[in-house]
Amino acid sequence: MRLIVTEKNIAAKKIADLLADTKVKNDKVYNTPVYRFETDGVEQVALGLKGHILGVDFPKELTYSKRGGWNAHWAEGDNTTAELAKDLATPPWKSNRRPFTKDGLALSSWSMSILPYLIYAPVGKYPAEKDLIRSLKSLAKKADEIVIATDFDREGELIGSDARNIVLAANPDAVIHRARYSAITKQEITHAFDNLAELDDDLAQSGEARQDIDLIWGAVLTRYLTKARFSGLGKPRSAGRVQTPTLKLIVDKEAERDAFIAEDYWVLLAELVADSGEAFVARHTTNHFKVQAEAEAAYQNVNSQVGKLDGASITTVDAKKRATKPPIPLNTTALQAAAAAEGLSPARTMRIAESLYMNGLISYPRVDNTVYPASLDSKGIFKELEKVDEYRSYVQALLKKPLRATRGAKETTDHPPIHPTGAGSQAKLRPEEWKLYNLIARRFIATFSDQAIYEDTTLGIAIDGEAFVSKGTVLVSPGFRAVYPYGARKQEELPKVDEGDTCAVDAVTLDQRQTKPPARYGEGGIITTMEKLGLGTKSTRHSIIQTLIDRAYVQVKDKSLKPTMLGVAVIDALSTFADPIVTPQMTANLEDEMLQIAAGDKQRIDVVNHSRDMLDEVMIRLLDKVDEVSEKLKDAAVADAKVGTCLTCGRDLLVRSNLKTRGQFVGCAGWPDCEKTYPLPQGKIEPLEDVCEVCGAPRIRVIQFRTKPIERCLDPECETNYEPTIDLGECPVCRVEGYKADDGEIGHIIGQRNPKTLKRFARCTAFDQCNVSYALPGRGDIEPTGEYCKTCGAPEVVVRTARGPWRICIDMDCPEKVEAAKAKTKAAKRKAKGKKPKKAKPRSKAAPKKRTDAIAESPPGS
């Protein structure tokens, strides 16, 4: 039997489908899905991992003895020797309070005192996916050959190496090979399995070095900043060797903007009309008048010509053609930058790209290469793209001539640049998937297309002795621009005029403007800068940006990255007391050393130890300045946490964290003297500048997942936060049991929204007797129908959302819904096994049931 090990379950299924000569059988080994099939009469089993099945961590405790030195005690029960820096203090300690023990230290503590030991503590591996590892071992014992088919990059090689070690522990005689592929297509996968290779141990060691270094730096710096923070405000403060210098770039750009002093200037424009009747605009050749008097004098001169048919004369006509080369092939950085311009964040771009890759529509999306290899079947790819209506005409034109592609500066041999591998369908893909696929497909076509030819025209114009100029650009030969519109500049067509012609002056305007500060980084721009400076890798840069946003160090404002006060404070503190950690050079040097491991020129242990020494130098400075760092973070945390002013005492209202529930609430900075607090709904909270017109409390914007942001008063008791209740109809239980509300009528189901949590629910007016309540959809307008579910008797409503109206029974536990869900699950399983679905049996009506699962969200005063 041959065992195929992939990085994810979906990859295992896809590869099985592509290799199988027989029908693929879905099976399970313990709880792990596997796919059984035959190829050329050989039994094969494909199993997908869940990324890293081994995690990395520090030992739970270090102990010391004079004879044996340091020993590490691991969570799994093993003990190993440990090499720590010789200048670290050893037991006996002056105090045996945690983290200190009688003969060592507990490394799980976040105490500042253990950080010097954590820097040099050994890093070990533990089984992160125990059930999956058990399944892998079970299959490995029965296998004659094992093929590692994880993604071919540094991380994938490490995952494959870990899997190989697990396999060999279960079956020491197993024959192990490596399948390398760049796309999940029939041709690529077949070629990979026909040309099996060996695992690249140097590449795996490079990946393991990165894993170790990131754990050490992240754990030490995160614990330091979290312990130094102002308690009760915000979340734990993380930092890392790549995250921190990246944040420094964003903070420095903001400092440039803050230091920028705007200057006034004046622009003189003339609106002209040619003899043909075409209007165009000319600008004074003094592009920016810096002296107002000079601008006004020029304005007075030309304004006298307004209304004259020959007020302006054409002095020169200069027309030149220029060629714009087609774009080069896409690597990961270029893809993220191009997608960011289309509104997709780098993190989202990579999630979508991974989905497209797994579905065989694009090649491997994590690459540095910008040169198509000679082995790339360009003609075959174009034949696939010819099936897509949107590209057919462009592709057919290209196939009539030799295919020659542009080349970028980076050429590697692991994977080709990102390109389409299958025919995508706008009807079958989600909108964001089609947007990214369309970008990749059009970019690929463009790299084989002709250059675009533009004609640039510059007109020299005289108006009463003042010199003006008008510039236009027209696309005369589209070339690649016919298929690739991304990043194209707007065309400005000028009228056809000759030297000596005159034009009418329709209007003259003098605009006062100000110089603008340097633009902030966009998500695409920061990714490109990180690549230039050697910060991170193609696989990690997008996640680093997302981490900065998630940690509230950076916020996205008008599609650009703006540091928060806290982000500025973190960089200020680290720059002041440990400058090397925020500069790109230290991180870039470590990145270069990890590349040398992959090339076989350095050993992992040497690079990891070098990084420990670098971190130790940094922490010596930081540990001596804890109080100063804490003060810097405190002021910034207060500034970022402020949502308004307390109506009771006039002090700041701050977003605080509940350390027990991990929830957030708003509390007064004057606590405990002032106990004013407000609850906060789940989601991201942004303060608004204006206050509530009714009660005077601050107003906030609440951003919840997949919902339109809501702006509301912070006080849940304010009348502006109440929504009208909706009578959805009679209660099914009260109708049967005869329960009545206080008004003497049969209980009715009333829909309402809890102003504290923003969740919607429905409750019977006779709830004390029938205990009937329902959760309602959080989105959309709800309209009662006056009709009731024939199965459970609950009211039916219409929910109107952007996707259209939906008619539903409001009882989520309605037997009809439960049965439908079960039937859907069974049908999916039968479809996976290739069986025809059974016909549904007639369903009998069920009597309304009495509910006892009242929801927790109650309206105020209930």
Side-chain angles (χ1 to χ4, degrees), residues 256-264 514-518:
E256 287 182 43
R257 290 173 57 85
D258 292 340
F260 178 82
I261 299 175
E263 296 181 356
D264 291 331
Q514 282 192 326
T515 52
K516 295 181 179 180

Side-chain angles (χ1 to χ4, degrees), residues 328-345:
I328 63 173
L330 278 173
N331 63 6
T332 303
T333 300
L335 174 66
Q336 292 172 348
E342 297 303 307
L344 296 175
S345 70

Side-chain angles (χ1 to χ4, degrees), residues 62 176 241 255 349 368 398 411 449 573 601 651 687 706 718 786 795 861:
L62 291 174
I176 300 177
R241 63 179 187 86
T349 294
D368 290 321
L398 285 174
E411 185 172 9
S449 301
D601 298 330
R651 297 184 185 180
R706 289 183 177 176
C718 177

Side-chain angles (χ1 to χ4, degrees), residues 649-662:
C649 69
R651 297 184 185 180
D652 290 338
L653 289 173
L654 307 175
V655 176
R656 294 184 176 274
S657 299
N658 186 316
L659 299 180
K660 292 183 179 180
T661 65
R662 297 187 179 181

Side-chain angles (χ1 to χ4, degrees), residues 293-309:
E294 294 177 1
E296 290 176 345
Y299 171 78
Q300 293 299 330
N301 289 339
V302 299
N303 192 51
S304 62
Q305 302 301 309
V306 172
K308 294 183 179 181
L309 297 179

Side-chain angles (χ1 to χ4, degrees), residues 2 73 88 125 143 166 171 183 212 239 328 434 473 576 716 774-775 815:
R2 172 194 268 183
H73 302 265
L88 290 174
K125 294 194 173 186
I166 291 170
N171 184 356
D212 292 351
I328 63 173
W434 171 255
T473 297
T576 303
Y774 306 98

